[in-house]
Amino acid sequence: MTRHARARFSPLPSGPVPNACERIWEATRRIPRGRVSTYGAIATLAGYPGGARLAGFALGCLPPGADIPWQRVMNAGGRVSLPGSAGTRQRALLEKEGVVFRENRVDLSVFGWPATAGGKLRHGGI
DNA sequence: TACCTGACCTAGC
DNA sequence: AGCTAGGCCAGGT
């Protein structure tokens, strides 16, 4: 999270047209309880195929206490990308929802959303 | 306009 | 199984 981006988005983005952050957040809201999605998938749902990094950026812009299940977004390997205590918190929240961690990893073929074809979500850098 | 950043992804070694 | 390099995206300076 860069300082300028934080200053710009932290209070909540303003403007008539929803920006990328808000669209990412809306996509994140659609993840059902007890399931997880990936940055790439979220970006695609939001209309930014290949914008996995953007998804991470947008979630980083997320103001604390927002009504968004940000904890249900993980990286393509089914691992928590959030460093430090935030990552621990994310895992705790997910486990409380019924998501099973196995060696710090989640089986996306079981808990992945949307429905994973072939066991793994195909997306990301092209 | 050009360059930089980020809670990323994939392919290769 | 773990690390590196290259490639996507939008937004800010």
Side-chain angles (χ1 to χ4, degrees), chain A residues 70-85:
Chain A
W70 57 268
Q71 72 274 17
R72 294 173 195 155
V73 184
M74 351 187 52
N75 64 29
R79 278 175 300 201
V80 171
S81 267
L82 218 48
S85 61

Side-chain angles (χ1 to χ4, degrees), chain A residues 6-31:
Chain A
R6 180 180 305 147
R8 178 77 182 80
F9 297 115
S10 187
L12 261 180
S14 58
V17 65
N19 59 14
C21 285
E22 290 181 328
R23 291 171 67 174
I24 295 290
W25 298 346
E26 282 305 313
T28 304
R29 253 183 217 161
R30 295 168 49 187
I31 307 175

Side-chain angles (χ1 to χ4, degrees), chain A residues 34 91 94-95 97-102 105-107 110-111:
Chain A
R91 173 172 176 163
L94 287 176
E95 288 183 319
E97 293 184 356
V99 176
V100 177
F101 278 75
R102 188 186 44 147
R105 252 184 276 187
V106 172
D107 190 345
V110 176
F111 298 99

